[in-house]
Amino acid sequence: ELFADKIGSFANNSKKVFSFALFSGIILSLLSVIFIHDMYRDVAAVYAYYAREISWGNYEAGWVGRVPMLHIILSGIAAKISSLEAFRACVAVSSLFFVLTIFPLRKFLERFTTPLLSAWGCVLFIFAPKVIRFSVSGLLDSGRYFFLEYLF
């Protein structure tokens, strides 16, 4: 009965549930930066390539006009200051946006529901398989999710 009370206390506290979502997102992101080896073609051929050029200081070769550059520039800066390889820097930046998305998502959900349900919505977002796959792979999707949620 004592364990059930602790679970009930956790499940009914919006701050604890949101903290769980945040902590879980950080852990998933760190594991992805360390252990992911599968690259999407877009990351390998474009984002990581141009991020590497930017990290080396070759800004002319690192600029590509046909994709949004914020992710690539941040990845290049992350590769430069952390000495991560460019692919891992792309994954780190993508993962950062993935985790940061839960803050505007929570505010958005609180417009329509209670703080507790909005915190549980953040947990569902963090553990959604498709969101995880696209958000911790170095793709631009997590940045798009973040800015879309931030605008609303």
Side-chain angles (χ1 to χ4, degrees):
E1 184 177 72
L2 187 60
F3 182 71
D5 290 340
K6 288 183 180 182
I7 294 293
S9 156
F10 169 80
N12 292 319
N13 185 328
S14 65
K15 289 182 182 178
K16 288 181 181 179
V17 172
F18 184 76
S19 297
F20 172 71
L22 180 63
F23 180 72
S24 300
I26 291 169
I27 295 298
L28 281 169
S29 297
L30 287 174
L31 290 173
S32 297
V33 170
I34 295 168
F35 294 113
I36 196 166
H37 295 291
D38 298 330
M39 273 190 231
Y40 283 93
R41 257 187 314 212
D42 294 347
V43 178
V46 180
Y47 312 140
Y49 172 78
Y50 290 115
R52 185 185 68 225
E53 292 296 324
I54 289 171
S55 73
W56 288 348
N58 191 2
Y59 303 112
E60 296 82 24
W63 187 264
V64 57
R66 56 186 189 269
V67 296
M69 287 299 296
L70 178 64
H71 183 272
I72 295 170
I73 291 169
L74 291 176
S75 297
I77 292 169
K80 179 74 171 177
I81 63 174
S82 68
S83 46
L84 285 172
E85 61 186 16
F87 168 66
R88 300 253 179 245
C90 287
V91 171
V93 168
S94 185
S95 296
L96 177 68
F97 279 123
F98 167 63
V99 172
L100 290 178
T101 299
I102 67 171
F103 292 102
L105 177 63
R106 182 179 186 188
K107 294 295 180 194
F108 177 74
L109 292 174
E110 283 178 353
R111 290 182 186 176
F112 306 104
T113 187
T114 65
L116 180 61
L117 288 177
S118 67
W120 278 108
C122 292
V123 170
L124 292 175
F125 174 81
I126 288 294
F127 287 108
K130 188 170 265 193
V131 173
I132 292 171
R133 182 179 59 172
F134 290 138
S135 296
V136 296
S137 61
L139 293 171
L140 305 178
D141 294 44
S142 60
R144 180 181 61 218
Y145 300 150
F146 173 76
F147 287 109
L148 284 173
E149 288 300 323
Y150 182 76
L151 288 174
F152 292 104

